Amino acid sequence: MGALGTLITVIVVGLIAGFIARAVVPGRQSMGIVATILLGIVGSFVGGFLGFLIFHSDAQDGLLQPSGIIGSIIGAIIALLIYGAVTGRRRA
């Protein structure tokens, strides 16, 4: 997979992970599409780091794996909760 394919994959997975995280976390998050994609990308890094700490594995088995997507979603949820706590936004 070339650099463009990797970039598109990161954007799509980021969008999916960010969208699911925003749907799961209660309250209203005023984010646009770009912020949702960035949330998912940050979540991918957080999820990948947690996956490495827990399972001692990395992306050598391939970039797109179900466990990677699930880790991205979990990481995005964690990042969204931390963002909400730091900015002091109240959840309804």
Side-chain angles (χ1 to χ4, degrees):
M1 182 181 297
L4 183 60
T6 301
L7 180 64
I8 291 171
T9 301
V10 167
I11 290 172
V12 170
V13 170
L15 179 63
I16 292 168
F19 179 75
I20 291 173
R22 287 184 57 200
V24 169
V25 174
R28 184 173 182 260
Q29 301 90 19
S30 57
M31 295 180 167
I33 292 259
V34 174
T36 302
I37 291 171
L38 290 176
L39 171 67
I41 292 171
V42 168
S44 292
F45 284 109
V46 171
F49 180 71
L50 291 176
F52 176 75
L53 288 178
I54 295 170
F55 302 112
H56 302 291
S57 63
D58 54 18
Q60 290 179 351
D61 297 326
L63 290 176
L64 188 59
Q65 301 174 16
S67 61
I69 294 171
I70 293 168
S72 296
I73 294 168
I74 292 170
I77 291 170
I78 292 169
L80 187 57
L81 290 173
I82 291 172
Y83 174 76
V86 168
T87 60
R89 295 183 185 231
R90 300 283 179 208
R91 288 183 286 210

